[in-house]
Amino acid sequence: HGSMPGRIGRLPAQLAVERVAADAQPARRLGQVALALLHRLLHRALGLALVRQRRYPEALESLALASRLGPRDAQLAYVHGVALQSLGQPEQGRQVLRSALQANPFHAALLGALLADAQARRDLAGAADLAGRLARLRPDDAELARRAARLARP
């Protein structure tokens, strides 16, 4: 029984260490989330700044990384997709825009970019669908309503 009091004496200290470690887990996780968000925002800002400077290859790298870090950021996906299309990578740009639209089905800029792309490719069925969706989002836009109606005609 001589070892029993030693065990009991260490138990509260052990519990205290375990409690401190458990309390630190949420703080550590919050720090990781904050760093990931900061990393995404920095690459987003860098990508946009590089686009403004017309340093497109570098901009695409930062925009792609920011998109991977924040796949639900519709505005970022819009900029990334349009940049890809503008730089001669239309299929990759279209894929970025389509993926973003799946996650954000009511994002007008994504719909508009895909509508312009569909019309440029003469994909009339796709353009009609996108124009209709966009017109429903903007019921007060008479020009868009006329465009959607024109595209919907067989």
Side-chain angles (χ1 to χ4, degrees):
H1 294 313
S3 63
M4 192 67 145
R7 278 187 172 164
I8 292 172
R10 280 190 297 238
L11 190 57
Q14 215 171 10
L15 287 173
V17 167
E18 289 172 7
R19 184 171 297 142
V20 167
D23 289 346
Q25 284 291 30
R28 189 175 306 122
R29 179 69 185 132
L30 181 60
Q32 291 168 342
V33 169
L35 282 174
L37 176 62
L38 181 60
H39 193 214
R40 178 175 62 87
L41 292 175
L42 287 172
H43 275 284
R44 183 183 202 270
L46 177 60
L48 294 173
L50 291 167
V51 165
R52 281 188 220 97
Q53 294 173 11
R54 301 184 193 284
R55 294 169 57 188
Y56 299 116
E58 295 165 276
L60 284 179
E61 284 181 39
S62 282
L63 292 172
L65 181 55
S67 289
R68 282 193 301 278
L69 294 170
R72 292 185 117 11
D73 185 337
Q75 191 60 34
L76 175 61
Y78 168 78
V79 171
H80 184 208
V82 170
L84 284 164
Q85 289 179 322
S86 298
L87 296 173
Q89 299 177 46
E91 187 54 45
Q92 293 93 327
R94 193 175 308 117
Q95 184 55 45
V96 167
L97 295 169
R98 283 181 181 157
S99 293
L101 188 61
Q102 285 181 336
N104 305 279
F106 305 107
H107 194 276
L110 292 170
L111 286 165
L114 286 166
L115 172 57
D117 176 68
Q119 286 186 292
R121 292 182 297 108
R122 301 199 189 289
D123 173 8
L124 298 182
D129 174 61
L130 291 161
R133 290 172 64 183
L134 192 53
R136 286 189 293 280
L137 284 179
R138 296 184 175 163
D140 297 332
D141 188 335
E143 177 55 37
L144 182 57
R146 283 191 292 275
R147 185 177 180 189
R150 256 191 333 267
L151 286 166
R153 288 189 215 121

